[in-house]
Amino acid sequence: MFAGFRAFFAASVLALSALIAVPATAGTLQCAPFAREVSGIDIHGNANTWWGQAEGRYDRGHEPRVGAVLAFAASRSMPVGHVAMVSKVVSDREVLLTHANWSYRGGIERNVRAIDVSPNNDWTDVRVWYGPIGNLGLRSNAARGFIYADAPKAVDQAPVRIASAEQSGGAGLRAAF
């Protein structure tokens, strides 16, 4: 009888352990690898370094576009910043974001509301949906701007000289490259 109880107890503990959520530590999903995966922007490191790393590698700006990554600045409450991908542009001052590790540790949120509250309408101050209160967060968050998923266009640095009709002997306009 005692052996049967031990087997039942061991099976019960095993079954219960599968139901109990244990917080992950090293396996917690972070915003930067998630943003890299969903946006295709190949930047590594903490979120607060993405804006600087994008310089010269990706176009950056202050206009929301689908697929762009909104780079948040580091702050006291976000010491390593945050990055989130724009999943929909609602208006010039409202977007929907898809991101990880914002409202819930390691959680993914899709299509959550974010609004530009910056005085210059340049997305440098943003309020974002915060799940635990079911509304936009109570405070705004400083942001750097958007990193666009397409690599910057290569610019031909070769000088261009346009010859006038008089310079080309009357043969019409020619361009020399």
Side-chain angles (χ1 to χ4, degrees):
M1 179 168 166
F2 185 68
F5 176 74
R6 287 177 70 185
F8 172 76
F9 181 75
S12 297
V13 168
L14 184 60
L16 284 175
S17 68
L19 298 175
I20 297 172
V22 177
T25 51
T28 299
L29 184 60
Q30 298 295 319
C31 66
F34 182 75
R36 182 173 49 253
E37 182 68 28
V38 297
S39 72
I41 294 175
D42 191 24
I43 295 179
H44 296 259
N46 288 337
N48 63 333
T49 68
W50 278 44
W51 184 254
Q53 287 188 63
E55 186 174 9
R57 293 178 58 196
Y58 295 94
D59 287 330
R60 304 180 305 173
H62 296 278
E63 173 192 329
R65 296 181 197 161
V66 171
V69 169
L70 179 57
F72 291 84
S75 67
R76 196 164 130 195
S77 61
M78 295 188 307
V80 294
H82 185 72
V83 285
M85 187 196 70
V86 176
S87 46
K88 181 177 182 179
V89 176
V90 177
S91 71
D92 61 341
R93 304 229 36 207
E94 182 178 349
V95 297
L96 299 182
L97 297 176
T98 293
H99 59 165
N101 205 29
W102 182 265
S103 293
Y104 306 99
R105 181 178 166 90
I108 296 171
E109 294 175 291
R110 297 184 190 282
N111 301 317
V112 295
R113 186 173 183 226
I115 59 169
D116 173 25
V117 294
S118 62
N120 296 326
N121 303 338
D122 62 2
W123 288 89
T124 55
D125 200 19
V126 181
R127 287 185 59 207
V128 179
W129 176 266
Y130 188 62
I133 65 170
N135 206 341
L136 291 173
L138 301 177
R139 63 175 169 73
S140 61
N141 301 277
R144 301 282 185 224
F146 297 95
I147 302 168
Y148 304 114
D150 296 329
K153 312 296 182 279
V155 178
D156 185 1
Q157 299 298 322
V160 176
R161 183 177 61 85
I162 307 279
S164 69
E166 293 102 24
Q167 292 172 326
S168 62
L173 294 178
R174 284 189 224 163
F177 298 95

